[in-house]
Amino acid sequence: MSEPRTRLALLSPHRVEAADADALAAAITAAGAAGDVAAILLRLAPFDERSLVNLVKRLAPVAQAIGAALVVSCAGFAGDLVSVSARGGADGVHLDKPRDGALRELRDRLDDGRILGAGGHEQKHAAMEAGEAGVDYVMFGGLYADGIAPDAETVVDRAAWWTEIFETPCIAVAHAADQVGPILATGAEFLGLESALWIGEGTDVAAIQAQVTAAAEVSS
């Protein structure tokens, strides 16, 4: 039996606001035409719940139209992210570096098939705790809100370790084009692309998808 193919997971810029919605929607549609996109991680700026719900309502149908799940994240938001996701028509929520117990609490609330994901796992123990809490995926890598990213070699190492041992899928994130090949070699279920790789001039999702397809052909 051939290995499952790697699919794309697109990470939005941090602190997406209503003014960004049209450009982001266009980029999502273009990426969906160029690659096999499984998910969009929408990283929202913290506003009031009503504003966030309205923004999610604008973008969820765009993501779902290309066959991708929309998962929402909002660092610094003190309100109910599950409510924002559900009322906005998104498919789930994502937490980075969750506080103790937060994932289990959310798993209990997201018991109807909606997605729960977690990231920020530089330490293996944190990733294993997330898996034990019942997340639908763990994410390694990705820029934090301050623009800092984990070391690329650490991301590859964590993804390779995880896929070798655990059944829970993982997203391994590239924020530069030269990181795509090493991530694909780990066998991660999802190749995460930071916004610089799929939004704006000079990006080429089709070329990245060609790398994904070629890697799958070699491993099959």
Side-chain angles (χ1 to χ4, degrees):
M1 182 181 295
S2 62
E3 293 296 318
R5 72 186 189 279
T6 299
R7 303 187 68 195
L8 302 180
L10 309 181
L11 282 64
S12 82
H14 281 283
R15 302 183 67 83
V16 171
E17 302 181 6
D20 306 315
D22 289 345
L24 186 55
I28 290 170
T29 299
D36 179 20
V37 180
I40 312 288
L41 174 54
L42 177 62
R43 300 185 290 198
L44 299 164
F47 286 103
D48 61 277
E49 185 168 321
R50 182 177 179 180
S51 296
L52 294 179
V53 168
N54 288 337
L55 179 51
V56 173
K57 283 182 176 180
R58 293 173 65 182
L59 293 170
V62 179
Q64 292 155 358
I66 67 167
L70 185 76
V71 182
V72 298
S73 176
C74 190
F77 177 56
D80 187 347
L81 191 60
V82 172
S83 176
V84 169
S85 173
R87 291 171 57 201
D91 299 283
V93 300
H94 173 98
L95 294 185
D96 277 321
K97 297 186 176 180
R99 62 172 174 79
D100 289 346
L103 292 175
R104 291 190 184 277
E105 291 173 12
L106 290 182
R107 183 73 286 166
D108 288 342
R109 296 183 63 195
L110 296 167
D111 60 357
D112 55 358
R114 285 178 290 169
I115 296 166
L116 174 61
H121 306 304
E122 283 86 4
Q123 303 300 321
K124 291 181 178 180
H125 181 68
M128 289 189 290
E129 286 187 333
E132 291 169 357
V135 297
D136 294 294
Y137 67 83
V138 297
M139 188 173 81
F140 300 106
L143 297 177
Y144 295 121
D146 59 6
I148 302 298
D151 181 76
E153 292 183 2
T154 299
V155 173
V156 169
D157 175 76
R158 295 293 184 267
W161 160 74
W162 185 267
T163 57
E164 180 71 21
I165 299 173
F166 301 98
E167 294 185 1
T168 301
C170 81
I171 301 173
V173 183
H175 59 85
D178 62 0
Q179 296 168 9
V180 169
I183 286 175
L184 291 174
T186 70
E189 290 86 354
F190 301 98
L191 167 64
L193 300 181
E194 270 293 349
S195 57
L197 292 175
W198 66 278
I199 298 175
E201 294 183 6
T203 59
D204 193 343
V205 175
I208 294 173
Q209 182 62 53
Q211 284 185 263
V212 174
T213 301
E217 291 174 350
V218 168
S219 64
S220 63

